[in-house]
Amino acid sequence: RIGAPGYPDLPLAERLAMSQAAMENRPSQAEAEAAAPDRRLTEGVDPSFLTLMDQLRQAVADRPGDLRGLELLASNEARLGNYPAARAAMEQLVAAKADAATAEDFAALAEIRVLAAGGIVTPEAEEALIRALTLDPKNGTARFYSGLMFAQVGRHDQTFQLWEPLLREGPPDAPWIAPIRDGIEDVAWRAGLEYTLPETLAGPDAGAVAAAADMAPEDRQAMIEGMVAQLGERLANEGGTPEEWAQLVSSLAVLGRTEEAQTIYNEALAKFEGQRASQSFLREQALNAGLTP
């Protein structure tokens, strides 16, 4: 209503045209991968694991139609941060499955294409998202990345239409909940909408927070250590969601217990073997915590 000094008028029609141009001029998968940083792990990888990976690559090359081998190759290449190779393996897997490929397969293909492209939802990733949503319009991974795609070209109104119901529907342990919570208020603001983020779920109650504020630093540290220990014990005995494992890993990293955090992260990755969306979420949280994903 008031405008911004130095900026020309930017009517809606022009903004929509700019968004359409941005959509049409996105880099291809090959272009985006060429420009993306190399995220392959070069340190801290068990040599025996690298040997197994060489054997797995050779086995898949010898048996290109082996679905289980392709699944393992895609998952473990991603674990090494070798996203272009993981993308190639996932493409090969979907092609091998042909008409039997599921919505989850196409959603996983779209996700690994985004990771390989440095976070950009390329036209090739969009194609996989469309296939996933055609098979299952409720697929959460595909809806999340479709929303991300629209945000990247300035259509935050469409992002909000995808993300808000996805956040509302849950489940609360879904890997897309945390990134949506982090970004949806900004998305709503950019779409010109009034929106208040719903209350978070679990966490220390108000009494615990108030008590911690009044504690001496060493007592507060002891309380935090105790809460982290309780969370770790519960996850070890009962299991938990990707978000809970990520919370434990991040908490240990903040406490300076980096080696323990790395060990727990590796355990969490193994527990969610085959669940690509969950593993991708854990990797992102590990990166944020300064760990080796």
Side-chain angles (χ1 to χ4, degrees):
R1 183 176 301 153
I2 298 175
Y7 282 82
D9 287 343
L10 198 59
L12 180 59
E14 186 174 342
R15 280 181 278 150
L16 292 175
M18 291 169 61
S19 175
Q20 184 61 34
M23 179 74 86
E24 294 172 355
N25 293 320
R26 285 174 294 166
S28 67
Q29 188 71 32
E31 292 169 338
E33 287 186 18
D38 188 346
R39 296 169 64 184
R40 287 176 295 181
L41 300 182
T42 57
E43 298 179 358
V45 183
D46 188 340
S48 62
F49 178 72
L50 294 178
T51 300
L52 289 173
M53 281 299 298
D54 288 337
Q55 295 172 353
L56 177 59
R57 292 175 185 127
Q58 186 59 54
V60 169
D62 293 339
R63 299 187 298 276
D66 181 356
L67 300 185
R68 181 56 180 161
L70 287 167
E71 288 178 354
L72 289 172
L73 183 60
S75 174
N76 285 289
E77 292 286 20
R79 184 176 179 182
L80 289 171
N82 193 4
Y83 294 120
R87 185 264 308 152
M90 194 64 206
E91 288 176 345
Q92 192 174 342
L93 174 63
V94 170
K97 287 189 174 184
D99 292 341
T102 65
E104 187 61 34
D105 291 326
F106 283 108
L109 174 58
E111 181 174 53
I112 199 62
R113 281 175 171 169
V114 172
L115 291 172
I120 298 172
V121 185
T122 63
E124 291 87 345
E126 181 189 7
E127 179 185 358
L129 292 173
I130 292 172
R131 295 290 299 275
L133 292 172
T134 300
L135 292 169
D136 178 13
K138 301 295 287 183
N139 184 278
T141 301
R143 291 161 67 192
F144 169 72
Y145 281 106
S146 295
L148 179 62
M149 175 186 69
F150 285 119
Q152 289 177 349
V153 298
R155 288 303 305 270
H156 297 90
D157 55 323
Q158 295 192 17
T159 300
F160 186 84
Q161 291 174 17
L162 286 160
W163 281 7
E164 191 279 330
L166 193 55
L167 179 63
R168 184 163 23 88
E169 293 165 13
D173 60 348
W176 51 80
I177 294 297
I180 288 178
R181 290 190 67 89
D182 286 344
I184 195 169
E185 286 188 313
D186 180 67
V187 164
W189 180 80
R190 292 176 183 276
L193 302 170
E194 292 186 7
Y195 176 77
T196 301
L197 187 67
E199 291 292 330
T200 56
L201 298 175
D205 59 31
V209 174
D214 295 333
M215 286 181 177
E218 59 272 17
D219 293 333
R220 187 183 305 116
Q221 180 76 5
M223 188 185 90
I224 294 171
E225 294 269 6
M227 293 173 67
V228 170
Q230 289 178 1
L231 176 59
E233 183 177 354
R234 179 169 64 80
L235 291 178
N237 294 330
E238 304 173 14
T241 67
E243 285 72 22
E244 289 173 321
W245 284 100
Q247 179 184 356
L248 177 59
V249 169
S250 299
S251 298
L252 290 170
V254 168
L255 290 172
R257 294 156 60 179
T258 307
E259 290 187 8
E260 187 177 353
Q262 186 72 52
T263 300
I264 295 296
Y265 163 70
N266 293 335
E267 291 177 4
L269 270 188
K271 288 182 181 295
F272 292 96
E273 180 70 36
Q275 301 180 41
R276 299 182 187 88
S278 297
Q279 288 191 328
S280 295
F281 170 75
L282 288 167
R283 287 190 189 94
E284 290 181 10
Q285 299 306 306
L287 278 171
N288 293 337
L291 304 180
T292 301

